[in-house]
Amino acid sequence: MNQETAVRNDRDTTSHLPNNQIKVSARKVQVYYGDTHAIKDVDVDIEDRNVTAFIGPSGCGKSTFLRCINRMNDTIPIARVEGQILIDDEDIYDKRIDPVQLRAKVGMVFQKPNPFPKSIYDNVAYGPKIHGLAKNKSELNDIVEKSLRRAALWNEVKDRLQLPGTGLSGGQQQRLCIARAIATEPEILLMDEPCSALDPIATDQVEELIRELKGNYSVVIVTHSMQQAHRVSQKTAFFHLGNLVEYDDTETIFKNPKDERTESYITGRIG
Amino acid sequence: MTDAPATIADASASRSKGSLLEKDARTKKRNAAETRFKAYGIIAIGIGLAFLAALVFSIVRNGVPAFTQTYVTVPITLEAETLDPEGNRDPADISGVMTFAYSPLIQQGLQSALEEADVETDMSASDLTKMLSSSAENTVRQRVVSNPDLIGETEEFRLLASSRVDGYLKGRVERADLERDRNLDAAHLDIVDQLQEAGVVSRTFNMDFILGTDASDNRPEQAGIGASMLGSFFMMLVVLALALPIGVAASIYLEEFAPKNKFTDLIEVNISNLAAVPSIVFGILGLAAFIQFAGLPQSAPLVGGLVLTLMTLPTIIISTRASLKSVPPSIRDAALGVGASPMQAVFHHVLPLAAPGILTGTIIGLAQALGETAPLLLIGMVGFIASNYPEGVASGFLDPNSAMPAQIYEWAKRADPAFYERAWGGIIILLVFLLSMNLLAIILRRRFERRW
Ligand SMILES: Nc1ncnc2c1ncn2[C@@H]1O[C@H](COP(=O)(O)OP(=O)(O)OP(=O)(O)O)[C@@H](O)[C@H]1O
Ligand SMILES: [Mg+2]
């Protein structure tokens, strides 16, 4: 599988990090909402077992691009995606690909916490149940416990697993959504501003979790917080008006950006 | 920069709002407008409540008498010579004896009842029986046929009084009204007064009105709404069994799966239009499609149910779609995001959340259908005299019957004021049904929604 390193982006040569395998590779991706051209010609390689941050001003297309990776844009009737996105060398927009199967492999945490109006337990158990990941009740219990532990929520909810997930606080709900996403054992985890509704303490916990998840997953996180991108990610992509302006190691982007738009954005001059 | 402080001072002076303790002109005007608006609202509600009170009052006043009925207790000697001439108690022979053979027995019984109550009269025996319902012979005969052992005994029978006597006890009939009446005259009423004192004539709660069958024009005292209640019941079964699954399936498809194009837009517009189509149109459609084309029997609750299904479908579809729409899209995203198929997302997450709304819509649709009369006109359920109960389930669906609102309309149409009273009584029963259905809708909604 070393061929992926061969296709890696030129900019990676400056990387001081060990070169990772490429998990997602996007080429010439265009997204249109009706006549609006929301994503223009985006090429990006997302590494396995690493955290990639998408930053950029509001409306620049970060969420749109993120939703291309698990084909959530399919649910928007007017959205149209062109170009090529490969996950493990398979074109996910190929006719033979079933988006439902794809989404089991590419988990997603949404910007706004959206737990099911069911019990905490059922929220986490739902994915494993429909994908047949547990053979019996006790295996399912294990999955639920493990996922909640990893989402740093177990201690807070272990005594009330049967209570509604919607009754948790905003931060707890977001961690519940993260637990739900990792319970299905995805290989890629997409997180759209997972901390925008969280207080600093919960943010800390989620960031800690992301750092930990990095060991097994390829994590993509959209964030408006430069500090957060800096803290958790190894790679950063800067989007502007639908273009991918710059994509490089996080250190490079923050210390030594090549494009002046990137520089103005991270120093707070545009945005 | 030198005049800056002055400008600020000027600005703050002109911006001064004055004392908050005094209302300025604009505030006064605003408050007055608000007070006026509140007054209009209260007046509107008052008018509404007044109408409601008038409605309830008149329904109760006119309808409650229908729930009581006047009976005459008559001891009748069931002579064996008349009722079983052969003397062998053969059921075939006994049922061969027609009702008119019972008339003399009833006349005798009534006379002895009068004697016992010490009522003196020179009225002839056959004249006296005009106080009784013309159903009396049949009542006695049926009791004898079902129990031949009674023959030869003297039995007490509670026979229905005629509707005039009943009306007299209820205050509907006055002596003056009887001047032109061919059946009853004031002398009868004097006897009724005395008999009532002696306890022979009494007015009691009338279960037969609720459970009984309809009767022909000259026997209002015997008419009940029970048979048409069954007709309505079987119609509602048809509506529920067809409209709910079809309506919910159609709405789920349209709302969650259908592509948005001209064709589905057209369907959508048509459904909204159908909801506004007058119900009589569905009636004539039912007549053409189900009776004339498909050859289903006239006046049958099955056909009524089918017609009402057509009528209820748009209501159910519209309310189901509204409740599906009200489920936040984030729930669908969440389900799809963990890899649920669109169908799993709908059935596991969206539908349970929409269920209270769907249930409420369905019950409201059913309640509407229950009270609908116009389409039943055209398929022959109005005007049909439901004088028999259906014999079993198949007969309940297929044999001619009436329905509650059709029955009420039918009664209101008949000349005798005794029927008019029954129409009001029927309305009370219908309203009890409708109110309990609405209550059920509210309870279900509360129950399901309280879960989270
Ligand atoms: N469902 C939609 N229909 C039409 N246009 C959309 C839709 N979603 C997004 N867009 C448009 O696409 C562009 C990119 O939107 P997107 O949501 O990807 O931005 P974003 O970078 O995630 O912004 P934010 O940081 O505010 O979340 C915007 O101009 C937006 O108006
Ligand atoms: Mg966004």
Side-chain angles (χ1 to χ4, degrees):
Chain A
M1 279 306 231
N2 251 357
Q3 70 192 83
E4 273 130 349
T5 9
V7 256
R8 70 172 198 266
N9 206 303
D10 289 344
R11 286 175 285 221
D12 282 8
T13 42
T14 55
S15 168
H16 61 274
L17 293 162
N19 286 326
N20 270 314
Q21 289 189 338
I22 303 300
K23 188 75 179 168
V24 183
S25 155
R27 289 292 172 270
K28 298 224 169 302
V29 175
Q30 324 278 343
V31 182
Y32 301 87
Y33 289 112
D35 295 332
T36 325
H37 197 172
I39 289 288
K40 299 161 191 159
D41 252 347
V42 169
D43 288 4
V44 71
D45 287 318
I46 293 166
E47 295 175 358
D48 203 4
R49 294 170 205 277
N50 244 343
V51 179
T52 307
F54 288 177
I55 59 170
S58 190
C60 67
K62 307 177 295 293
S63 300
T64 302
F65 185 69
L66 198 69
R67 293 163 60 92
C68 291
I69 303 175
N70 67 347
R71 289 187 60 175
M72 278 304 277
N73 282 334
D74 291 13
T75 62
I76 301 172
I78 56 165
R80 191 157 50 84
V81 179
E82 286 171 8
Q84 197 185 38
I85 297 180
L86 305 179
I87 293 181
D88 291 336
D89 285 333
E90 290 169 343
D91 182 359
I92 61 166
Y93 282 89
D94 190 288
K95 279 197 192 62
R96 288 167 297 176
I97 297 275
D98 184 350
V100 173
Q101 213 178 327
L102 168 73
R103 287 180 205 132
K105 181 168 171 163
V106 186
M108 181 153 197
V109 177
F110 295 84
Q111 184 163 351
K112 211 170 129 243
N114 56 354
F116 299 128
K118 294 181 188 290
S119 71
I120 295 172
Y121 182 93
D122 287 341
N123 259 285
V124 183
Y126 180 69
K129 252 191 230 164
I130 58 171
H131 297 301
L133 297 184
K135 281 190 218 66
N136 51 44
K137 188 81 184 150
S138 79
E139 266 188 44
L140 192 61
N141 290 343
D142 289 347
I143 294 179
V144 170
E145 179 174 345
K146 200 180 89 195
S147 312
L148 285 170
R149 276 189 192 286
R150 299 187 67 189
L153 191 61
W154 175 252
N155 287 331
E156 286 156 71
V157 300
K158 61 170 182 258
D159 301 322
R160 44 171 175 158
L161 289 177
Q162 294 313 322
L163 294 186
T166 39
L168 296 172
S169 78
Q172 290 172 327
Q173 287 188 19
Q174 190 61 298
R175 279 177 282 151
L176 179 62
C177 293
I178 295 173
R180 180 177 68 191
I182 57 185
T184 52
E185 305 274 345
E187 295 171 25
I188 301 167
L189 191 60
L190 310 175
M191 303 174 116
D192 195 349
E193 300 183 43
C195 301
S196 63
L198 303 192
D199 69 7
I201 296 167
T203 304
D204 237 30
Q205 285 165 334
V206 171
E207 286 180 10
E208 188 50 47
L209 169 69
I210 294 171
R211 272 189 283 272
E212 191 200 310
L213 291 174
K214 173 186 157 235
N216 297 305
Y217 302 88
S218 165
V219 180
V220 185
I221 174 173
V222 172
T223 177
H224 276 290
S225 153
M226 298 305 122
Q227 291 83 352
Q228 184 170 57
H230 202 172
R231 282 194 299 263
V232 300
S233 72
Q234 284 72 52
K235 291 276 194 173
T236 297
F238 171 65
F239 286 82
H240 188 242
L241 301 177
N243 296 301
L244 176 62
V245 174
E246 193 166 352
Y247 177 53
D248 210 332
D249 288 345
T250 301
E251 283 305 312
T252 319
I253 293 272
F254 281 91
K255 297 267 160 58
N256 196 6
K258 295 194 178 55
D259 196 289
E260 61 185 77
R261 284 170 293 177
T262 317
E263 190 179 359
S264 356
Y265 183 69
I266 60 173
T267 54
R269 266 180 283 140
I270 58 169
Chain B
M1 286 298 273
T2 42
D3 55 9
T7 350
I8 289 166
D10 280 356
S12 60
S14 68
R15 279 180 60 238
S16 163
K17 296 279 187 202
S19 166
L20 284 177
L21 290 173
E22 268 167 52
K23 292 195 181 72
D24 61 24
R26 287 179 71 81
T27 311
K28 273 189 200 140
K29 222 171 132 186
R30 254 199 321 250
N31 290 351
E34 192 171 317
T35 314
R36 267 200 311 278
F37 180 76
K38 279 187 198 156
Y40 295 150
I42 290 169
I43 290 170
I45 290 175
I47 292 174
L49 282 180
F51 275 118
L52 185 68
L55 184 75
V56 170
F57 176 73
S58 63
I59 287 177
V60 168
R61 204 186 63 144
N62 289 310
V64 162
F67 290 89
T68 59
Q69 199 64 42
T70 308
Y71 291 91
V72 186
T73 316
V74 185
I76 296 177
T77 309
L78 302 163
E79 286 166 7
E81 306 89 85
T82 341
L83 303 183
D84 190 19
E86 310 280 323
N88 55 9
R89 301 289 188 270
D90 183 353
D93 286 346
I94 294 167
S95 44
V97 178
M98 291 293 128
T99 44
F100 60 82
Y102 287 84
S103 305
L105 302 183
I106 292 173
Q107 287 172 14
Q108 284 164 26
L110 194 57
Q111 266 174 330
S112 58
L114 256 65
E115 272 161 35
E116 235 170 85
D118 286 332
V119 181
E120 302 272 324
T121 177
D122 48 4
M123 208 178 277
S124 78
S126 69
D127 232 12
L128 277 175
T129 50
K130 284 178 181 166
M131 293 191 305
L132 295 178
S133 160
S134 54
S135 69
E137 285 90 352
N138 199 29
T139 314
V140 178
R141 177 174 174 271
Q142 264 172 8
R143 197 118 139 237
V144 172
V145 169
S146 67
N147 185 7
D149 291 342
L150 291 177
I151 292 177
E153 309 278 317
T154 301
E155 262 293 292
E156 284 227 323
F157 283 85
R158 277 181 82 228
L159 298 174
L160 280 168
S162 81
S163 69
R164 301 291 192 287
V165 173
D166 182 51
Y168 174 62
L169 259 66
K170 289 172 180 168
R172 188 179 64 229
V173 175
E174 312 259 313
R175 277 184 170 69
D177 299 334
L178 295 179
E179 267 163 28
R180 276 181 291 133
D181 196 293
R182 259 180 282 133
N183 290 318
L184 224 55
D185 47 45
H188 282 106
L189 297 185
D190 298 336
I191 297 173
V192 169
D193 281 342
Q194 294 175 50
L195 286 179
Q196 194 181 6
E197 238 159 73
V200 176
V201 167
S202 61
R203 191 175 149 205
T204 54
F205 183 71
N206 179 20
M207 207 55 191
D208 283 343
F209 173 63
I210 302 173
L211 300 179
T213 59
D214 192 13
S216 60
D217 271 358
N218 52 359
R219 281 181 280 135
E221 64 279 357
Q222 210 196 355
I225 202 168
S228 36
M229 217 188 265
L230 281 175
S232 280
F233 171 73
F234 281 107
M235 288 200 312
M236 288 307 111
L237 280 188
V238 175
V239 176
L240 190 66
L242 291 178
L244 182 63
I246 296 178
V248 171
S251 331
I252 291 180
Y253 179 74
L254 282 175
E255 197 56 42
E256 306 283 338
F257 295 101
K260 300 275 170 281
N261 55 29
K262 289 246 161 56
F263 182 63
T264 47
D265 283 351
L266 188 75
I267 291 179
E268 217 160 289
V269 170
N270 276 312
I271 288 172
S272 327
N273 282 343
L274 276 184
V277 165
S279 55
I280 195 139
V281 176
F282 288 107
I284 204 156
L285 179 70
L287 173 65
F290 300 130
I291 296 179
Q292 291 168 351
F293 179 72
L296 292 173
Q298 262 194 26
S299 313
L302 174 66
V303 178
L306 288 172
V307 170
L308 293 179
T309 299
L310 293 181
M311 211 196 77
T312 317
L313 260 180
T315 317
I316 293 189
I317 292 181
I318 289 172
S319 67
T320 302
R321 292 191 66 182
S323 41
L324 287 174
K325 253 194 201 106
S326 72
V327 175
S330 65
I331 298 291
R332 293 179 185 82
D333 283 351
L336 296 177
V338 295
S341 68
M343 196 168 122
Q344 285 172 326
V346 170
F347 281 89
H348 295 164
H349 301 289
V350 179
L351 209 50
L353 289 177
I358 296 177
L359 273 178
T360 318
T362 307
I363 293 174
I364 302 288
L366 278 183
Q368 238 176 44
L370 183 68
E372 196 57 64
T373 326
L376 305 183
L377 275 169
L378 290 161
I379 56 165
M381 290 185 87
V382 175
F384 178 79
I385 296 178
S387 53
N388 288 306
Y389 295 111
E391 298 141 9
V393 176
S395 145
F397 284 119
L398 293 171
D399 283 353
N401 203 339
S402 188
M404 278 197 279
Q407 182 73 74
I408 291 167
Y409 174 69
E410 178 61 26
W411 281 338
K413 226 171 49 177
R414 292 186 194 169
D416 195 326
F419 276 116
Y420 187 64
E421 167 196 292
R422 283 182 137 63
W424 284 99
I427 284 173
I428 292 185
I429 294 181
L430 187 63
L431 284 180
V432 166
F433 271 97
L434 295 180
L435 289 181
S436 19
M437 282 169 91
N438 286 342
L439 195 70
L440 182 72
I442 294 171
I443 290 172
L444 282 177
R445 164 159 235 153
R446 287 262 168 85
R447 245 196 108 104
F448 276 93
E449 276 180 350
R450 216 185 293 151
R451 282 235 305 260
W452 300 113

